[in-house]
Amino acid sequence: MLRLFAAIALPEDVAGALSRRQSGLPGARWRPADHLHITLAFYGEVAPRMADDLAVELTRAAVAPFPLELAGTGAFGDAHQTDAIWAGVAPSEPLTVLAGRCRAAGERAGINIEKRVYRPHVTLAYLRGAQPDRIGAWMSGHNLLASPPFRVDRFGLYSSVLTHEGSRYTLEREYLL
Ligand code: 2AM
């Protein structure tokens, strides 16, 4: 079984600018710059045969290349605990369409995909034991986060393997827009 997701990798300069913000929050396990991405669809554990079908179906998901910008920060979690902090993505119709098509490609391949509202983001860190006041300070210190527009001209099918340092991703297949 392979743990698979479709995602847009960030250009090096955009990832580099984000990585300079990855400090000043004890309890944050910062994600490496070369792993920063925007997930389009998460497929979970997929059998090899279905993964092959998915790789083929994704060739039908492409939209025309489009510009994208990062904007703001946010967090996932509940009232008791923040699990992750992320950079936001400015609203983008083509991104929503591409994500919907990646999801549909998974469904055509027979994958049962969790029904969740799509909230595009770039996870910067997973948190363990971070103090709420420090999280608040980090968020307000970075709430003006923004990137220049960058052109999205490809996306990838990635596999994810859990290691001691967090999950490692491998690009399995790349799709040009
Ligand atoms: P995250 O960045 O918010 O953790 C690889 O794990 C990628 O798939 C990550 O970007 C992760 O989102 C996303 N992901 C993991 N589990 C998911 C799920 N159940 N639903 C949607 N996305 C998920």
Side-chain angles (χ1 to χ4, degrees), residues 3 5 37-39 41-42 76 84 86 114 116 121-123 126 160 167 169:
R3 186 179 169 86
F5 62 101
H37 66 275
I38 301 163
T39 294
F42 180 74
F76 287 142
W86 41 263
E114 252 183 68
R116 279 198 200 173
H121 63 276
V122 180
T123 297
Y126 296 107
S160 165
S167 28
Y169 308 141

Side-chain angles (χ1 to χ4, degrees), residues 3-7 31 35-44 76 83-86 113-119 121-126 158-161 167-169:
R3 186 179 169 86
L4 296 175
F5 62 101
R31 300 299 291 144
H35 272 38
L36 297 177
H37 66 275
I38 301 163
T39 294
L40 291 162
F42 180 74
Y43 304 114
F76 287 142
D83 301 319
I85 51 175
W86 41 263
I113 301 177
E114 252 183 68
K115 293 205 171 18
R116 279 198 200 173
V117 178
Y118 180 56
R119 291 178 67 186
H121 63 276
V122 180
T123 297
L124 297 174
Y126 296 107
Y158 292 83
S159 61
S160 165
V161 176
S167 28
R168 303 296 306 175
Y169 308 141

Side-chain angles (χ1 to χ4, degrees), residues 1-2 5-6 34 56 62 70 86 94 102 115 117-118 127 138 140:
M1 299 283 266
L2 288 165
F5 62 101
D34 66 350
V56 172
L70 303 183
W86 41 263
C102 287
K115 293 205 171 18
V117 178
Y118 180 56
L127 307 186
W138 187 91
S140 53

Side-chain angles (χ1 to χ4, degrees), residues 45-85:
E45 301 287 336
V46 177
R49 175 87 186 272
M50 247 182 206
D52 288 343
D53 290 347
L54 171 63
V56 172
E57 291 295 345
L58 281 172
T59 59
R60 294 164 57 191
V63 297
F66 60 95
L68 203 58
E69 286 171 51
L70 303 183
T73 56
F76 287 142
D78 57 28
H80 306 290
Q81 189 176 303
T82 303
D83 301 319
I85 51 175

